[in-house]
Amino acid sequence: MPTPDAGNDDATEVPAVAVVNKPKRVRTGCLTCRERHLKCDEGLPNCLNCQKSSRQCKRGVRLNFIDTQVKSPPIIPPTADWKVNFQDESREIASEYKGGLKRYAHLDQQIITPPRDQPLDNATRPMRVDAPPPPTQQNNHNHNALPPIQHHATSYSDGNLSVKYEQSSSRHNSVQHSHGGSNVSLMAPPSLSYSNGSEQTLTPASNEPRGFLDSQEEVLFMQVFVEEVGLWMDSMDQTKHFSRLLPFHALSEPMLLNAFLACGARHLTLVNPMYHEDKALYYYDTATTQLLRSLQNPDRDTVVCATTAVILNVYEIMSERAMQRMNHIAGARALIKECGWNARSTGIGQACFWLNVGMELLSCLHFNWKLAWEPDQWGVDMDFQRETEFGKEEVWVHRMLYIVGKIANFRASIPRFQEPSAHDEHNRVQTRLADWQTYKNLCDSWNDNIPRTMQPMAYLQPAQNSSKSAFPEVWLIKRATIVGRLFYHTAMCLLAQIHPLYPQEMDEMRTMQMHHAHQICGIVAHVKDRGVASVALRSLAIAAECLVIRREQEEVLEIFEKIRTETGWKVGFINKELKAKWKWQTDEQVQQQMAATQNSLAQFFPPTTQAPPVNLPPAPPPPARPQVPSGIPNPLLKTADFSLPNHPYQQYYQPPNQHQQNHFTHNYI
């Protein structure tokens, strides 16, 4: 047989017998024979060579990571019937071998955000090949259904919350977070994977309960949730469901556990810049996907779904952009109503109800909205009698929350125009005056009948305390007491501002307003419990608006900064609002004023040098920002009911079976 150099005359021919007699290479031999350079007879379980030499017959697959080129996967254009995406698991496989992972270069965690003007679809989200196809896109004008708004939306931006009204006629089946660029397919299986190649820990989607958390990452995020986030979530719950009971139940509910981990990871990103928001988004996307899949099952556990939606709503409250706040805020309220929870509920139903209405009340106080859920429909027991028993502080907090809700609606309904008829205007004023007096009497009755444990334990004037604070030191012991007193003083401040006949500049109203404002500032300035931060921020913002002394104003800004450092709550927009209310000059305005002063003096005192005079052009006025409409019902929750046509979770919700049994309810009510 000729060699490849057949064209060479000097080439010699190799006998055919030599080729035939060449020993055949063994492909399935043991590793021991390969190391000894011996031919293995491929005997199982031990080959003959290992038996003779009494050696261990090693078997397995030996891989040599030599070619570690990293290339982009081929691009396959999506079709209407199916979509495919490639998932690179080479690093995961190499990490199981000694020195295998070192062959690869360090992979930077990057998340590519699609252009804002490009419609999003499921092709932008990695999906396993065996995933079911996404549902057909449908025209839907539902304002609250997932996924969030993408295009042609009128935005009312206001610092920490932006409200967007949908004007587009198409929906895309994906959830996008503009601040993190994470896109999750709402129909993808629970075994989601990240496209950035980072190692992610996903809570197993099995019905078998876990005995305990066995991942360092999960333990960290759950600890942060229990010790930081759960504090303020349980501020009106005596049983402390979110921080003491539900974490144990989450071991058997992956959907609930992922929601907890998302909140814990999100809190870390707020207080520590070393933590990136990828983890929080990952757990949030996973919990959202699992929730939407559960809503498609009529035999679902409605209590678990409602509780998960409430926790995901908390995650959105902790986020900065509007996209996070538009996904589950209406869905949580609709699921709460579906479960029939109200003020008379017990257990987890009571905890979710008061947390949800409390968050809505704080938003309505900020934007001057009417509550979508009228407080008279809550079912609160308002039969005031002097409380002689201890341990019922939360009941009185709920009553004060009802009163503040009524005052918030009263403030949002202030008439903007007078009635054409003087008689009609007089009747309207008298009606509002009677309502105002009713709410004032409720506040006084509440303060007179609360238990002694809800009164201050100590009270020191500013000259008596050692903290050099401009506000009195009000010492309240229990967290529920602090929350209740903050709501009480907030209600009195608001009443002093919205009297139908007396303006707030009147001596009586001004004295009433300043007294309760100083009480709020005194409580927040000396409180050490971070669990009251959510209520303290809004109460302090309302109280700070009426302060006129510069020292008090500066201390309030220091208190806001302290809360931001300890809890991560965004307070920058509050600082701007207060400075505008106080008519403080910004740094740019001060510089412009100084430059104008120098220019005006230059005509009388010519410069000693030959440098040209400084002539700063006037700064262009800032662009007008759309104002949030006030005096309207809460636009985020106006359709938060599954009985309405434009209800939340439009494309995924299926009514539950009426006779289903909720094991969660039996264990935690």
Side-chain angles (χ1 to χ4, degrees):
M1 179 178 180
T3 64
D5 297 332
N8 190 352
D9 295 338
D10 297 333
T12 60
E13 295 184 358
V14 180
V17 178
V19 177
V20 175
N21 294 336
K22 184 178 180 180
K24 184 178 181 181
R25 183 176 178 84
V26 177
R27 298 293 182 183
T28 60
C30 69
L31 300 178
T32 306
C33 291
R34 182 174 298 182
E35 292 175 353
R36 300 177 62 194
H37 302 286
L38 298 177
K39 184 178 183 302
C40 183
D41 64 350
E42 306 181 53
L44 296 175
N46 297 321
C47 68
L48 185 60
N49 292 334
C50 293
Q51 292 179 6
K52 291 181 180 180
S53 59
S54 299
R55 287 182 169 85
Q56 181 182 1
C57 190
K58 302 178 183 179
R59 296 186 180 274
V61 179
R62 174 175 292 181
L63 301 178
N64 295 323
F65 295 93
I66 299 176
D67 186 7
T68 58
Q69 299 180 9
V70 179
K71 298 181 179 180
S72 300
I75 300 177
I76 300 179
T79 65
D81 299 330
W82 56 270
K83 296 182 178 66
V84 65
N85 204 309
F86 293 89
Q87 181 176 347
D88 183 10
E89 298 180 350
S90 58
R91 284 181 172 81
E92 181 181 356
I93 297 174
S95 63
E96 300 179 0
Y97 294 86
K98 184 177 180 180
L101 191 58
K102 295 181 180 179
R103 295 276 187 174
Y104 290 86
H106 178 69
L107 181 63
D108 295 331
Q109 297 184 3
Q110 297 179 354
I111 300 178
I112 302 175
T113 304
R116 300 184 66 89
D117 57 346
Q118 177 181 354
L120 295 175
D121 54 20
N122 284 329
T124 62
R125 178 65 170 91
M127 180 183 294
R128 295 187 184 273
V129 178
D130 57 350
T136 305
Q137 297 180 1
Q138 299 176 356
N139 293 336
N140 186 3
H141 296 276
N142 176 21
H143 299 299
N144 297 315
L146 287 173
I149 301 162
Q150 299 293 345
H151 304 288
H152 309 293
T154 303
S155 175
Y156 298 96
S157 177
D158 192 88
N160 198 32
L161 173 61
S162 299
V163 184
K164 295 191 175 183
Y165 297 92
E166 175 69 6
Q167 297 178 358
S168 175
S169 61
S170 63
R171 296 293 192 195
H172 303 281
N173 298 313
S174 63
V175 176
Q176 186 213 8
H177 304 287
S178 58
H179 72 290
S182 171
N183 301 310
V184 56
S185 171
L186 299 182
M187 295 301 295
S191 57
L192 299 175
S193 60
Y194 246 12
S195 60
N196 59 0
S198 59
E199 298 181 1
Q200 299 288 346
T201 304
L202 177 62
T203 303
S206 63
N207 295 327
E208 298 181 1
R210 301 170 60 179
F212 45 79
L213 299 178
D214 52 5
S215 167
Q216 182 179 6
E217 177 183 282
E218 293 180 349
V219 172
L220 172 62
F221 294 156
M222 182 60 78
Q223 285 179 336
V224 172
F225 173 83
V226 170
E227 298 173 2
E228 299 295 338
V229 183
L231 288 179
W232 64 267
M233 293 178 64
D234 284 330
S235 59
M236 293 182 289
D237 179 22
Q238 182 179 8
T239 313
K240 312 302 178 190
H241 281 83
F242 292 102
S243 59
R244 296 181 182 177
L245 298 180
L246 290 179
F248 293 97
H249 185 77
L251 295 175
S252 60
E253 296 289 346
M255 175 173 58
L256 195 61
L257 179 57
N258 281 299
F260 282 142
L261 299 179
C263 291
R266 182 60 189 165
H267 179 83
L268 280 179
T269 63
L270 296 176
V271 299
N272 193 336
M274 294 181 60
Y275 290 91
H276 198 267
E277 59 189 357
D278 285 355
K279 292 289 185 179
L281 289 171
Y282 171 76
Y283 287 112
Y284 173 84
D285 291 345
T286 305
T288 298
T289 302
Q290 294 170 335
L291 173 61
L292 294 177
R293 282 191 162 229
S294 297
L295 292 178
Q296 295 175 327
N297 181 12
D299 296 325
R300 62 181 176 271
D301 193 327
T302 57
V303 176
V304 176
C305 293
T307 306
T308 302
V310 170
I311 299 172
L312 292 177
N313 184 18
V314 169
Y315 173 92
E316 296 167 354
I317 292 294
M318 298 167 63
S319 302
E320 304 176 31
R321 306 293 179 84
M323 290 301 179
Q324 289 76 14
R325 305 177 71 102
M326 295 294 289
N327 292 342
H328 297 287
I329 182 171
R333 169 63 57 82
L335 289 172
I336 286 176
K337 289 186 175 181
E338 182 179 74
C339 294
W341 293 339
N342 55 25
R344 300 184 182 274
S345 301
T346 58
I348 185 59
Q350 182 187 58
C352 289
F353 169 80
W354 285 112
L355 174 62
N356 186 263
V357 298
M359 289 188 297
E360 182 193 2
L361 176 59
L362 294 176
S363 297
C364 291
L365 289 176
H366 181 200
F367 296 105
N368 193 21
W369 289 338
K370 297 179 183 178
L371 277 75
W373 199 340
E374 172 61 37
D376 288 333
Q377 300 176 0
W378 293 356
V380 183
D381 179 14
M382 298 298 292
D383 185 13
F384 287 174
Q385 294 181 359
R386 182 174 294 276
E387 189 65 65
T388 58
E389 299 181 13
F390 299 148
K392 294 185 177 180
E393 291 82 2
E394 286 78 9
V395 175
W396 288 92
V397 174
H398 298 162
R399 290 170 175 170
M400 178 47 61
L401 204 67
Y402 165 86
I403 298 174
V404 178
K406 296 293 291 184
I407 295 176
N409 288 351
F410 181 78
R411 183 182 67 159
S413 61
I414 293 178
R416 301 179 181 274
F417 305 98
Q418 292 186 354
E419 293 289 344
S421 171
H423 177 73
D424 294 342
E425 177 65 20
H426 174 75
N427 291 338
R428 185 174 67 178
V429 171
Q430 293 300 318
T431 301
R432 291 188 59 83
L433 181 61
D435 293 340
W436 187 95
Q437 193 61 51
T438 299
Y439 304 144
K440 176 65 165 54
N441 294 337
L442 284 175
C443 290
D444 294 339
S445 178
W446 182 90
N447 190 45
D448 294 338
N449 293 282
I450 56 176
R452 179 63 185 88
T453 53
M454 298 192 72
Q455 297 288 354
M457 182 68 183
Y459 188 92
L460 298 176
Q461 294 294 339
Q464 295 178 283
N465 59 55
S466 59
S467 60
K468 298 181 180 181
S469 174
F471 306 110
E473 181 176 354
V474 185
W475 181 22
L476 303 169
I477 295 181
K478 193 174 181 180
R479 182 180 304 156
T481 299
I482 300 174
V483 173
R485 299 297 297 182
L486 286 175
F487 275 125
Y488 163 71
H489 293 298
T490 301
M492 297 299 289
C493 273
L494 294 175
L495 287 175
Q497 298 173 4
I498 58 177
H499 195 282
L501 293 179
Y502 302 149
Q504 56 180 315
E505 292 80 10
M506 186 177 179
D507 292 343
E508 182 181 354
M509 295 296 103
R510 185 173 65 251
T511 302
M512 173 180 169
Q513 184 179 10
M514 292 300 297
H515 169 73
H516 292 282
H518 284 156
Q519 298 300 304
I520 294 175
C521 296
I523 294 174
V524 180
H526 300 92
V527 70
K528 297 179 175 61
D529 189 352
R530 296 190 299 273
V532 300
S534 59
V535 178
L537 284 175
R538 181 46 38 200
S539 298
L540 186 60
I542 293 175
E545 292 182 357
C546 61
L547 299 179
V548 294
I549 301 177
R550 181 74 178 217
R551 177 191 173 191
E552 296 177 351
Q553 296 173 348
E554 292 176 348
E555 184 174 348
V556 165
L557 296 182
E558 294 175 359
I559 297 174
F560 278 122
E561 180 61 23
K562 177 185 176 183
I563 296 177
R564 185 199 65 81
T565 304
E566 293 180 351
T567 65
W569 288 98
K570 302 300 181 181
V571 296
F573 71 100
I574 299 180
N575 292 345
K576 295 180 181 179
E577 291 176 353
L578 290 178
K579 290 180 180 180
K581 185 75 174 180
W582 297 333
K583 295 181 172 55
W584 280 21
Q585 288 183 331
T586 63
D587 296 338
E588 295 179 358
Q589 292 173 338
V590 172
Q591 293 177 1
Q592 294 177 9
Q593 183 177 3
M594 293 178 59
T597 303
Q598 293 176 359
N599 293 335
S600 62
L601 295 177
Q603 56 181 331
F604 302 102
F605 301 93
T608 56
T609 62
Q610 299 298 324
V614 178
N615 188 13
L616 296 178
R625 185 179 61 179
Q627 297 296 324
V628 177
S630 61
I632 62 174
N634 188 346
L636 302 181
L637 297 176
K638 61 181 180 180
T639 58
D641 196 320
F642 290 126
S643 62
L644 300 177
N646 292 332
H647 61 76
Y649 308 131
Q650 186 72 220
Q651 301 178 6
Y652 310 94
Y653 173 80
Q654 294 293 332
N657 293 333
Q658 298 295 329
H659 302 289
Q660 62 179 0
Q661 295 294 327
N662 296 326
H663 67 278
F664 180 85
T665 306
H666 298 321
N667 295 334
Y668 289 89
I669 277 195

